[in-house]
Amino acid sequence: MKSNVCVLGAGRMGSSIVRTLLDRNYPTSVWNRTAAKCQPLAALGARLVSSVEAGIRSADVLIINVLDYAASDALLKQGNVASALAGKAVIQLTSGSARLAREEARWIEAQGAGYLDGAILATPDFIGKPDTALLYSGSRAVYEANKTLLFALGGGTSYVGEVPGQASALDTALLTQMWGGLFGALQGMAVAEAEGLDLETFRSHLSAFKPVVDAALFDAVDRTKARRFAGDDATLASLGAHYSAFRHLLEACQERGLDAAMPRAMDGIFKQALSRGRADDDFASLFPLFR
Ligand code: NAD
């Protein structure tokens, strides 16, 4: 038998979660601060609830997806809502930090509910797809008991561990890598345009270069995992070789008057290592400087 689910929040993501649950025949109720946002979901079969407390009391599983933890807290820590949580499985899908997830877990569990903290590695249009990744940490019992529901939201779902903040921490770590690439792309486009290249040329060459970049990325992770920082026969490019190419970026910025805030920060990191005589070490040897 499928659990009764209540979703708090019918924004872009919350609505997509509700639509997916209805599509998989989960009896789903929904509450949103602005009730009008729930109307299209009601038309699809969602039950509208008049209050957060009524929604929680009607459900076995509570999914929260509002703007941030402050908004979520304000909903849960009012009136008789807290007392309605006892015995429920609470799945928090609002984005938050590891610290907020730890605090939330303590508070929810103190109300007698089970708590799973989730991070969604997708935009709303990917919810419910076979490869969509959602990360969870916190109560293993809640994860195991609701696995079918969780996999309905994304086939690439995984359980990171029992420490509640770990899903959020992994999300932050993965996004950090993404921002590095996106900021790098913006800087690269500025260089390309300054030298009269069109961005279609830049774009078409990104695909050819991607396997090389991906290989370097995974190599850096593997080496860091093994703390194999000294240059060796398997080193793809030494720090010295990287720096010699990197200096062309600094030169391009200076010559073409481009903003160099990000390259300067990278230059500082390279120089710390090179001033300690590490030119022959692997690129991964920069890792200790980030700790
Ligand atoms: P949205 O702006 O479309 O919806 C936000 C929702 O929060 C609305 O339902 C709004 O009514 C509610 N809300 C805001 N403040 C509130 C308050 N004080 N009290 C009660 N409800 C309040 O945003 P979204 O894109 O649906 O994102 C929702 C959550 O999902 C966020 O935490 C976001 O970081 C996360 N998320 C979104 C995406 C995405 O691609 N949109 C991806 C991953 C995670």
Side-chain angles (χ1 to χ4, degrees):
M1 215 175 85
K2 291 196 157 150
S3 309
N4 286 305
V5 188
C6 173
V7 178
L8 299 184
R12 286 178 190 83
M13 186 56 87
S15 293
S16 181
I17 290 169
V18 172
R19 283 194 298 272
T20 304
L21 293 172
L22 292 171
D23 192 51
R24 305 294 173 95
N25 298 318
Y26 280 91
T28 306
S29 60
V30 61
W31 178 92
N32 194 68
R33 185 177 51 170
T34 319
K37 277 198 185 169
C38 297
Q39 287 305 333
L41 302 169
L44 297 173
R47 203 164 57 81
L48 306 191
V49 286
S50 55
S51 69
V52 171
E53 185 188 344
I56 296 173
R57 292 206 186 274
S58 73
D60 313 304
V61 177
L62 175 67
I63 295 180
I64 309 171
N65 185 256
V66 290
L67 185 65
D68 54 23
Y69 274 58
S72 169
D73 266 9
L75 297 181
L76 299 182
K77 296 176 182 173
Q78 55 161 332
N80 294 324
V81 172
S83 66
L85 288 169
K88 311 289 179 185
V90 178
I91 301 170
Q92 177 60 277
L93 286 177
T94 301
S95 298
S97 66
R99 175 183 62 81
L100 289 169
R102 287 192 294 269
E103 289 171 5
E104 182 94 333
R106 271 195 295 276
W107 187 82
I108 296 276
E109 283 165 4
Q111 313 312 313
Y115 183 71
L116 200 55
D117 196 85
I120 307 170
L121 297 181
T123 47
D125 48 328
F126 277 87
I127 296 300
K129 302 225 159 129
D131 295 328
T132 300
L134 288 93
L135 310 173
Y136 293 98
S137 56
S139 165
R140 187 183 289 276
V142 171
Y143 180 79
E144 292 298 336
N146 295 286
K147 232 173 171 173
T148 311
L149 184 158
L150 299 175
F151 274 82
L153 298 180
T157 283
S158 58
Y159 182 68
V160 182
E162 293 194 24
V163 179
Q166 284 187 332
S168 169
L170 181 55
D171 182 44
T172 300
L174 293 168
L175 288 171
T176 303
Q177 197 278 320
M178 178 192 81
W179 288 316
L182 287 175
F183 275 114
L186 298 176
Q187 187 86 52
M189 288 189 281
V191 171
E193 277 198 346
E195 293 293 341
L197 288 160
D198 64 72
L199 294 187
E200 188 47 45
T201 303
F202 175 75
R203 191 184 194 288
S204 67
H205 284 76
L206 274 181
S207 324
F209 193 34
K210 194 167 179 302
V212 177
V213 175
D214 281 351
L217 176 69
F218 287 109
D219 183 61
V221 177
D222 292 342
R223 279 185 167 268
T224 302
K225 200 156 53 99
R227 296 298 194 259
R228 212 153 44 84
F229 294 144
D232 57 29
D233 288 348
T235 286
L236 300 171
S238 66
L239 262 190
H242 270 284
Y243 191 64
S244 135
F246 173 79
R247 278 186 313 198
H248 304 149
L249 170 59
L250 293 176
E251 189 183 305
C253 289
Q254 192 172 25
E255 194 185 342
R256 298 294 180 186
L258 304 174
D259 186 88
M262 193 173 76
R264 269 199 303 273
M266 294 173 172
D267 190 43
I269 297 164
F270 269 123
K271 280 182 175 152
Q272 279 188 66
L274 294 171
S275 68
R276 293 174 199 164
R278 307 246 297 273
D280 292 331
D281 282 356
D282 193 273
F283 186 82
S285 69
L286 295 177
F287 178 71
L289 298 176
F290 287 79
R291 302 203 68 197

